[in-house]
Amino acid sequence: MNIQASSNSLNIYSILSQTQRLRVSDGEIKPVLDGCISPSKLLVLIWSQLGDFDNLEYAWWLQREKEQIAARGIIIRAIGIGDRNSGLKFCEYTGFPQEWLFVDTKAEIHSILGLYRGLSLQLPLLSSSQKAWLNLMLMCAGIGSPGTLKEVFRGYKGDKKAPQLIADEEVVRGTPLPPMKGSFFQAAGGTGFQRPFELATLRLRNMTEVLSNWSTYVPDSSYLTQRGGTFLFDSQGTLIYEHRDRGILGFAENMSNPLSFLF
């Protein structure tokens, strides 16, 4: 959502500029905007649990467009829910730079910025972790999570508005399936756009990674339903774009091309 400069946008930048969290690269408590000197644009990502599939997918897009992002002088910082081990594992898998990632063990910055907590049905006799799991499962079914089922189906049926995601010569490994060459997806529809099952395959790889390392990615399951947000500032610290996640697999306004707001 494009927005005009306002006291609200100035407040968000002010909050972030005063926020300190543990930096994954060195384990030190540092200002989140440390080193962000006069960027052409500053992209701040408030991520949910680092084991959330949304964040692994978001990081994949950033890696895909890293040359264009660097050429435009865009500086990136991210805060995710987890601890340092979560952050190290996340960066190892996604290629996201450790120096750009900070962790918030209690989702405090999410609360301060008023981000969607997710479905929060309070049922008696259940622990906070059990409640979070139940609410997460309901959100995966689309309850309290608008657009989730539609986005899941898009991963299977393909999307001619989205770019091709897996190069023909690329081999996808790390799923329960045998290694799969990108050219395999030609049979499902052709080339030059997101083919049927292409995105679903990448999501399956992410799911396999997270479930295989669950306790590392999610040291505290109390925050499973917490959603994140995207905030883009100009060189003066004015908020020029924001997106607040409304549900699972809703981390971008345009899921066909999640970084289209940058370019």
Side-chain angles (χ1 to χ4, degrees), residues 74-128:
I74 300 169
I75 289 180
I76 301 174
R77 293 292 183 269
I79 307 174
I81 304 172
D83 57 21
R84 191 181 180 212
N85 287 333
S86 309
L88 289 170
K89 190 64 177 173
F90 181 90
C91 293
E92 176 190 354
Y93 176 69
T94 64
F96 191 79
Q98 296 178 7
E99 310 82 53
W100 298 359
L101 181 60
F102 295 75
V103 289
D104 186 328
T105 58
K106 302 296 182 182
E108 292 174 340
I109 190 64
H110 303 68
S111 178
I112 292 170
L113 294 176
L115 297 174
Y116 180 41
R117 291 178 55 195
L119 192 65
S120 54
L121 296 178
Q122 299 299 317
L123 299 178
L125 306 180
L126 296 182
S127 67
S128 59

Side-chain angles (χ1 to χ4, degrees), residues 16 32-33 42-48 50 54-55 58-63 69 74-81 90 96 100-103 109-110 113 115 227-233 241 243 245 251-252 258-259 261-262:
L16 292 171
V32 170
L33 301 189
L42 171 65
L43 176 62
V44 179
L45 308 170
I46 308 298
W47 278 336
S48 51
L50 287 174
D54 291 35
N55 304 324
Y58 207 141
W60 182 89
W61 279 98
L62 292 169
Q63 187 74 358
I69 290 171
I74 300 169
I75 289 180
I76 301 174
R77 293 292 183 269
I79 307 174
I81 304 172
F90 181 90
F96 191 79
W100 298 359
L101 181 60
F102 295 75
V103 289
I109 190 64
H110 303 68
L113 294 176
L115 297 174
R227 298 295 90 200
T230 294
F231 301 92
L232 181 66
F233 303 91
Y241 175 89
H243 175 80
D245 305 354
F251 62 84
L259 300 183
F261 70 94
L262 277 179

Side-chain angles (χ1 to χ4, degrees), residues 12 44 52 57 99 101-102 107 153 170 205 212 229 233 251:
I12 292 175
V44 179
D52 193 317
E57 193 167 319
E99 310 82 53
L101 181 60
F102 295 75
F153 292 140
E170 181 181 350
R205 181 173 65 184
S212 299
F233 303 91
F251 62 84

Side-chain angles (χ1 to χ4, degrees), residues 8-23:
N8 182 54
S9 69
L10 295 176
N11 286 340
I12 292 175
Y13 184 82
S14 177
I15 289 168
L16 292 171
S17 66
Q18 297 174 55
T19 297
Q20 298 188 31
R21 291 293 184 273
L22 186 144
R23 185 167 59 193

Side-chain angles (χ1 to χ4, degrees), residues 11 18 26 50 53 64 68 84-85 97 121 133 146 160 187 192 195 225 232 239 247-248 255 257:
N11 286 340
Q18 297 174 55
D26 53 16
L50 287 174
F53 305 151
R64 174 189 173 100
Q68 191 173 177
R84 191 181 180 212
N85 287 333
L121 296 178
W133 269 107
K160 291 194 174 181
R195 288 77 59 88
T225 59
L232 181 66
L239 184 64
I248 295 170
M255 287 298 292
N257 193 348

